[in-house]
Amino acid sequence: QKRDSNRLQAFDAAYISAGLRVNILSILQKKVPGGVSDVVNAIASRQAVLLPPVVEACAAFIDQPGYNQCLSKGLAHVFSDDRDLRVYEERLQKFMAIPPKFQIDLAIAVSTVFKDNTYRQRHGNRKGFWTTAAYNIPLCSSKDLGRLLENKNYLHAYAAVRYLTDDATKDFIQFYQHRFTDFGGRLEAEIDKFSISFESLYRFHHNKGGVDSKRNVGILQYRISDHFYVSGSFGKNFGSVNNLIALLGLNWGFGKQSIIE
C-alpha cells in the first residue's frame, strides 16, 4: 500500500502496472553478421564431428525405448565437455553482447490505481505509448573484429517521443484527464563498468496552454555484475512544484534502463 507522494490525495493509493516493449528495427555493426555466421558454422561443424561416436555408442538401443534417452544424454555430455565448443559458444556470446549500430523500439504501458487498497475501487490511472531510437558508437575501430569483441567502451545517443494520458483526482469521484507529449534525448558515455549520461525532455501539455515544462537529469551508473547496477540521478523533473530529482538505487535483474524509455 502506498500513499501518493504528491500528498494531494485524501486517500491511500496502490498501483499496478504492465508494459510491453518490442524492437522493430536493428542495424548491426558492420562486422557482426559475418562474424556470427562464421561462429555458427564452426559450432555446427564441431557438433557434426562429435555426433557419430555417440550414435555408434547408442546403436545397441536403436530398437528400444531407451535409444532417444541414450542419444540425449550422450550428446549433452560430449557437447558440454568439448573445449572447442565452449570456445565457440563464448565467442558467440560476445557477438550477441555487441550493441546494434542503430535500433528503434516501440513500447506501451498502462497502470491502474486502487483506492485504499480495495479492488472494487479501481480506476485506470495512466497510459503511455512511446518510441525510442538508439545510436551506439563503439569507442574503438569497428573494422577490427577482435577489438570490437573485447570493447566495453561506447558512446550512446537516444531520441524518444512519448504520448501520455493521466487521469488525475483528489477525491476518487471526479477525474480529470491530462494529455502530454514528451520528446527529447539522452547522451551517454559508457567506459567499462561506469557510465555517465544526461537526458533532457520537453513536455507539451495538450489540455493547458502555457504550462509546458522540461526535465533535465544527470545519471551516474556503475555495473557491479552483468545484472546488478548501482545508479544515481540528480536534476529537475517536469512541473514547477516538487520537481527535484535526487535518487540513489540498485537495479537488479533488468540491465540498464534509460529513464526516457
Side-chain angles (χ1 to χ4, degrees):
Q1 182 170 309
K2 172 186 174 184
R3 183 179 292 275
D4 196 292
S5 60
N6 62 23
R7 306 300 293 177
L8 296 178
Q9 299 176 164
F11 56 88
D12 287 332
Y15 299 85
I16 186 171
S17 60
L20 175 66
R21 178 178 173 182
V22 295
N23 175 257
I24 62 170
L25 175 66
S26 287
I27 300 175
L28 301 180
Q29 305 287 347
K30 187 174 182 180
K31 292 284 187 177
V32 169
V36 170
S37 178
D38 291 341
V39 175
V40 170
N41 289 335
I43 291 175
S45 298
R46 185 59 185 164
Q47 288 178 336
V49 171
L50 298 173
L51 179 60
V54 177
V55 174
E56 183 178 351
C58 295
F61 302 97
I62 194 167
D63 295 323
Q64 300 181 27
Y67 179 70
N68 289 336
Q69 185 177 9
C70 177
L71 280 180
S72 178
K73 288 185 176 180
L75 291 175
H77 176 71
V78 297
F79 287 174
S80 63
D81 288 348
D82 187 77
R83 181 180 179 277
D84 290 338
L85 269 183
R86 290 201 302 271
V87 171
Y88 294 144
E89 289 170 354
E90 289 172 2
R91 186 174 177 84
L92 182 60
Q93 290 299 319
K94 288 183 178 180
F95 273 114
M96 303 308 293
I98 297 175
K101 185 175 183 178
F102 179 75
Q103 68 183 74
I104 297 178
D105 295 342
L106 292 178
I108 180 174
V110 296
S111 67
T112 300
V113 58
F114 299 85
K115 178 185 177 184
D116 297 328
N117 207 27
T118 302
Y119 181 79
R120 293 185 62 183
Q121 300 189 74
R122 64 187 185 276
H123 187 86
N125 174 238
R126 176 175 285 195
K127 301 181 184 69
F129 310 88
W130 67 96
T131 180
T132 304
Y135 185 60
N136 306 300
I137 306 171
L139 299 180
C140 73
S141 174
S142 59
K143 297 181 180 179
D144 187 331
L145 194 54
R147 292 184 63 187
L148 186 60
L149 281 174
E150 301 301 327
N151 177 59
K152 296 181 181 179
N153 304 326
Y154 286 88
L155 183 64
H156 306 283
Y158 304 92
V161 177
R162 177 171 56 194
Y163 177 77
L164 298 173
T165 63
D166 187 9
D167 283 7
T169 183
K170 295 181 180 180
D171 54 15
F172 217 79
I173 298 173
Q174 291 183 307
F175 291 85
Y176 306 90
Q177 186 180 85
H178 300 281
R179 295 180 294 115
F180 310 96
T181 296
D182 301 340
F183 57 90
R186 175 182 179 186
L187 188 65
E188 176 184 41
E190 179 182 1
I191 308 297
D192 196 9
K193 296 182 178 182
F194 179 78
S195 70
I196 181 170
S197 61
F198 176 79
E199 72 176 32
S200 181
L201 290 172
Y202 181 84
R203 169 163 288 180
F204 174 74
H205 198 306
H206 293 270
N207 302 82
K208 299 179 181 179
V211 294
D212 302 343
S213 59
K214 295 181 180 180
R215 170 191 175 102
N216 296 306
V217 181
I219 305 161
L220 296 175
Q221 187 166 253
Y222 181 77
R223 175 168 55 86
I224 298 175
S225 66
D226 287 344
H227 302 289
F228 190 41
Y229 296 81
V230 178
S231 62
S233 304
F234 182 82
K236 173 188 175 298
N237 203 356
F238 297 115
S240 58
V241 179
N242 296 328
N243 63 348
L244 174 68
I245 295 176
L247 299 173
L248 178 64
L250 300 176
N251 184 358
W252 176 78
F254 299 98
K256 293 199 303 179
Q257 182 70 31
S258 169
I259 292 178
I260 66 172
E261 299 177 9

